[in-house]
Amino acid sequence: MSTEDHQPIVFILSDSVGETAEFVVRAASSQFNGGHVQVRRIPYVDDEKIISETVQAAAEVKGMIAFTMVITELQEYLHEEARRWSVPVVDIMGPMLEGLSSLFRRQPKREPGLVRKLDEDYFRKVEAIEFAVKYDDGKDPRGLLRADIVLIGVSRTSKTPLSMYLAHKRIKVANVPLVPEVEPPEELFMVPAKKCIGLIIEPDQLNGIRRERLKSLGLAARANYANMERILQELEYSEKVMKRVGCPMIDVSNKAVEETANIILDMFRKGGGQA
């Protein structure tokens, strides 16, 4: 008979994947001479038949059951079956739910799989942030075709801050700076117009923003970057590109990043996107 056959068996019943319960079981079993225990996960439990079969299997091998099911009816049925077959049962989430109910002063939702949904949201956010960094400032035009939203505009129209803000809303954003001397990437004209947003700004405000930027870098405010004639040339060129793309435009003059981002989110949702 193998060593494994002598190991105690813990059956895990979960209405999700059962990772939380397995982690707790293994952490606790480590306190018993190395914690050699067999863990058998039964995920996505949603009916009484699975519970009955698991209880009987646990009874046959003199094992125990740990569970993280949150639906009250299934919990009650499990306890009834466990008593009938004399199988020990441990409710892993119950005490914490009771404690948090007192803390929040309301009852839990008892909706299966919420942790998994939270994890999915988290990883989507991380993925969107990494996307925004990778495809910032036109670094790699291939990203334009994979983006949920493409922002275009001249320098200092908040393209990067907007990309990062929207990334935290789980939206993949690429942005492209428009400069008269540089032809926009051909991929830009392959992006559906409704996915592309042009950022425009009043010349005087852009001039002030660029002057402050030069000052912060210790450069002369008279540099071409903040020259009004140059600014007008850039803005005229950028609007020509935007009209060629056929995208909607947002005037970011005197708007906070959050305000512009909310306008973009509203456009994104109306266009069939999800945020």
Side-chain angles (χ1 to χ4, degrees), residues 33 104 117 123 126 163 165 213 247 252 259:
N33 298 322
F104 291 127
K117 290 176 186 175
F123 287 116
V126 170
S163 295
Y165 186 96
R213 176 60 175 162
C247 64
V252 300
E259 186 180 355

PDB file of all heavy atoms in Angstrom, residues 33 104 117 123 126 163 165 213 247 252 259:
ATOM      1  N   ASN A  33       2.791  17.497  11.499  1.00  0.00           N
ATOM      2  CA  ASN A  33       3.905  16.676  10.996  1.00  0.00           C
ATOM      3  C   ASN A  33       4.058  16.741   9.471  1.00  0.00           C
ATOM      4  O   ASN A  33       4.096  15.728   8.786  1.00  0.00           O
ATOM      5  CB  ASN A  33       3.718  15.214  11.421  1.00  0.00           C
ATOM      6  CG  ASN A  33       3.725  15.059  12.923  1.00  0.00           C
ATOM      7  OD1 ASN A  33       4.482  15.733  13.610  1.00  0.00           O
ATOM      8  ND2 ASN A  33       2.868  14.189  13.445  1.00  0.00           N
ATOM      9  N   PHE A 104     -20.159  45.201   8.683  1.00  0.00           N
ATOM     10  CA  PHE A 104     -20.835  45.991   7.647  1.00  0.00           C
ATOM     11  C   PHE A 104     -22.284  46.315   8.002  1.00  0.00           C
ATOM     12  O   PHE A 104     -22.913  47.154   7.368  1.00  0.00           O
ATOM     13  CB  PHE A 104     -20.818  45.239   6.311  1.00  0.00           C
ATOM     14  CG  PHE A 104     -19.457  45.127   5.676  1.00  0.00           C
ATOM     15  CD1 PHE A 104     -18.959  43.892   5.283  1.00  0.00           C
ATOM     16  CD2 PHE A 104     -18.682  46.247   5.453  1.00  0.00           C
ATOM     17  CE1 PHE A 104     -17.709  43.776   4.688  1.00  0.00           C
ATOM     18  CE2 PHE A 104     -17.433  46.151   4.862  1.00  0.00           C
ATOM     19  CZ  PHE A 104     -16.942  44.920   4.479  1.00  0.00           C
ATOM     20  N   LYS A 117     -14.630  36.863  -9.910  1.00  0.00           N
ATOM     21  CA  LYS A 117     -14.945  38.054 -10.697  1.00  0.00           C
ATOM     22  C   LYS A 117     -14.027  39.204 -10.318  1.00  0.00           C
ATOM     23  O   LYS A 117     -13.580  39.972 -11.168  1.00  0.00           O
ATOM     24  CB  LYS A 117     -16.406  38.453 -10.480  1.00  0.00           C
ATOM     25  CG  LYS A 117     -17.396  37.482 -11.109  1.00  0.00           C
ATOM     26  CD  LYS A 117     -18.829  37.866 -10.788  1.00  0.00           C
ATOM     27  CE  LYS A 117     -19.804  36.810 -11.307  1.00  0.00           C
ATOM     28  NZ  LYS A 117     -21.199  37.110 -10.904  1.00  0.00           N
ATOM     29  N   PHE A 123      -7.014  41.527 -12.962  1.00  0.00           N
ATOM     30  CA  PHE A 123      -6.071  41.191 -14.024  1.00  0.00           C
ATOM     31  C   PHE A 123      -6.363  41.955 -15.310  1.00  0.00           C
ATOM     32  O   PHE A 123      -5.447  42.285 -16.060  1.00  0.00           O
ATOM     33  CB  PHE A 123      -6.055  39.679 -14.262  1.00  0.00           C
ATOM     34  CG  PHE A 123      -5.362  38.925 -13.167  1.00  0.00           C
ATOM     35  CD1 PHE A 123      -6.051  38.026 -12.366  1.00  0.00           C
ATOM     36  CD2 PHE A 123      -4.009  39.141 -12.907  1.00  0.00           C
ATOM     37  CE1 PHE A 123      -5.408  37.347 -11.331  1.00  0.00           C
ATOM     38  CE2 PHE A 123      -3.361  38.478 -11.879  1.00  0.00           C
ATOM     39  CZ  PHE A 123      -4.059  37.579 -11.093  1.00  0.00           C
ATOM     40  N   VAL A 126      -4.710  45.326 -14.734  1.00  0.00           N
ATOM     41  CA  VAL A 126      -3.252  45.235 -14.900  1.00  0.00           C
ATOM     42  C   VAL A 126      -2.888  45.131 -16.377  1.00  0.00           C
ATOM     43  O   VAL A 126      -1.967  45.798 -16.865  1.00  0.00           O
ATOM     44  CB  VAL A 126      -2.691  44.022 -14.122  1.00  0.00           C
ATOM     45  CG1 VAL A 126      -1.223  43.780 -14.481  1.00  0.00           C
ATOM     46  CG2 VAL A 126      -2.847  44.235 -12.625  1.00  0.00           C
ATOM     47  N   SER A 163      -4.819  57.999 -21.040  1.00  0.00           N
ATOM     48  CA  SER A 163      -4.605  56.570 -21.313  1.00  0.00           C
ATOM     49  C   SER A 163      -4.498  55.789 -20.011  1.00  0.00           C
ATOM     50  O   SER A 163      -5.079  54.701 -19.867  1.00  0.00           O
ATOM     51  CB  SER A 163      -3.330  56.368 -22.146  1.00  0.00           C
ATOM     52  OG  SER A 163      -3.464  56.948 -23.427  1.00  0.00           O
ATOM     53  N   TYR A 165      -5.579  56.767 -16.960  1.00  0.00           N
ATOM     54  CA  TYR A 165      -6.846  56.853 -16.219  1.00  0.00           C
ATOM     55  C   TYR A 165      -7.842  55.818 -16.744  1.00  0.00           C
ATOM     56  O   TYR A 165      -8.482  55.097 -15.980  1.00  0.00           O
ATOM     57  CB  TYR A 165      -7.428  58.263 -16.355  1.00  0.00           C
ATOM     58  CG  TYR A 165      -8.663  58.507 -15.516  1.00  0.00           C
ATOM     59  CD1 TYR A 165      -8.567  59.102 -14.265  1.00  0.00           C
ATOM     60  CD2 TYR A 165      -9.934  58.150 -15.978  1.00  0.00           C
ATOM     61  CE1 TYR A 165      -9.702  59.332 -13.481  1.00  0.00           C
ATOM     62  CE2 TYR A 165     -11.065  58.367 -15.203  1.00  0.00           C
ATOM     63  CZ  TYR A 165     -10.942  58.965 -13.969  1.00  0.00           C
ATOM     64  OH  TYR A 165     -12.059  59.169 -13.205  1.00  0.00           O
ATOM     65  N   ARG A 213       5.841  73.752 -19.114  1.00  0.00           N
ATOM     66  CA  ARG A 213       6.611  72.517 -19.305  1.00  0.00           C
ATOM     67  C   ARG A 213       8.078  72.833 -19.562  1.00  0.00           C
ATOM     68  O   ARG A 213       8.977  72.209 -18.985  1.00  0.00           O
ATOM     69  CB  ARG A 213       6.024  71.719 -20.483  1.00  0.00           C
ATOM     70  CG  ARG A 213       6.783  70.455 -20.848  1.00  0.00           C
ATOM     71  CD  ARG A 213       6.832  69.476 -19.706  1.00  0.00           C
ATOM     72  NE  ARG A 213       7.463  68.219 -20.087  1.00  0.00           N
ATOM     73  CZ  ARG A 213       7.937  67.337 -19.227  1.00  0.00           C
ATOM     74  NH1 ARG A 213       7.866  67.560 -17.928  1.00  0.00           N
ATOM     75  NH2 ARG A 213       8.488  66.219 -19.642  1.00  0.00           N
ATOM     76  N   CYS A 247     -12.845  60.749 -36.982  1.00  0.00           N
ATOM     77  CA  CYS A 247     -13.152  60.472 -35.580  1.00  0.00           C
ATOM     78  C   CYS A 247     -13.805  61.661 -34.885  1.00  0.00           C
ATOM     79  O   CYS A 247     -13.661  62.802 -35.315  1.00  0.00           O
ATOM     80  CB  CYS A 247     -11.866  60.097 -34.837  1.00  0.00           C
ATOM     81  SG  CYS A 247     -10.650  61.434 -34.765  1.00  0.00           S
ATOM     82  N   VAL A 252     -10.259  69.635 -24.969  1.00  0.00           N
ATOM     83  CA  VAL A 252      -9.792  69.415 -23.596  1.00  0.00           C
ATOM     84  C   VAL A 252      -9.431  70.709 -22.878  1.00  0.00           C
ATOM     85  O   VAL A 252      -8.953  70.682 -21.743  1.00  0.00           O
ATOM     86  CB  VAL A 252      -8.578  68.444 -23.571  1.00  0.00           C
ATOM     87  CG1 VAL A 252      -8.963  67.106 -24.172  1.00  0.00           C
ATOM     88  CG2 VAL A 252      -7.368  69.040 -24.311  1.00  0.00           C
ATOM     89  N   GLU A 259     -12.652  64.690 -16.131  1.00  0.00           N
ATOM     90  CA  GLU A 259     -13.811  65.175 -16.894  1.00  0.00           C
ATOM     91  C   GLU A 259     -13.757  64.675 -18.332  1.00  0.00           C
ATOM     92  O   GLU A 259     -14.748  64.170 -18.871  1.00  0.00           O
ATOM     93  CB  GLU A 259     -13.833  66.712 -16.859  1.00  0.00           C
ATOM     94  CG  GLU A 259     -15.071  67.315 -17.500  1.00  0.00           C
ATOM     95  CD  GLU A 259     -15.060  68.829 -17.446  1.00  0.00           C
ATOM     96  OE1 GLU A 259     -14.140  69.415 -16.829  1.00  0.00           O
ATOM     97  OE2 GLU A 259     -15.965  69.434 -18.055  1.00  0.00           O
TER      98      GLU A 259
END
